[in-house]
Amino acid sequence: MKTISFEENQLIISLSSLETILGLTHTIEVPYSNIKDVSIEDIHQFLWKIYGTHLGASKYGYFRKDGVNYFVASSTNKGNIVLTLNNHKYDKIILELDHVDDVFQQIQNTLRSFI
């Protein structure tokens, strides 16, 4: 299970042990100033795997499509939180989360108060 920590200047995304093995990444740090947009989306597009795991709807790791860099940690195509970023290793981060609506609202509130 993923956890999201709200630090003073950045969001920290930590993956569980199994997700770390599948995605080859344990922690991603995202400064609030790099977050351009946050949304909840169904993801049905094909992404090219650079490294990680892709089995059916499950995607964990680094993917690319049309010059856009993605980090994906999801086992479903529906209801994922999507962070669109500027000046970051990834252009988009796509996460499957429990209580996605609550996390979405918390990120939006944090971004409003950070600006």
Side-chain angles (χ1 to χ4, degrees), residues 93-104:
I93 297 176
I94 301 171
L95 303 170
E96 173 190 6
L97 296 168
D98 293 334
H99 312 290
V100 70
D101 294 321
D102 295 337
V103 174
F104 171 76

Side-chain angles (χ1 to χ4, degrees), residues 5-43:
S5 302
F6 294 85
E7 301 293 325
E8 184 177 339
N9 294 315
Q10 67 183 353
L11 192 69
I12 307 231
I13 302 163
S14 301
L15 303 180
S16 71
S17 299
L18 177 60
E19 291 170 328
T20 297
I21 292 167
L22 296 173
L24 303 176
T25 299
H26 177 63
T27 302
I28 300 172
E29 297 176 357
V30 181
Y32 295 130
S33 59
N34 289 8
I35 300 174
K36 183 167 72 172
D37 188 39
V38 59
S39 59
I40 299 174
E41 300 178 25
D42 294 344
I43 308 299

Side-chain angles (χ1 to χ4, degrees), residues 44-55:
H44 296 288
Q45 63 184 328
F46 176 80
L47 302 174
W48 292 98
K49 179 179 69 169
I50 304 302
Y51 65 79
T53 303
H54 180 205
L55 299 168

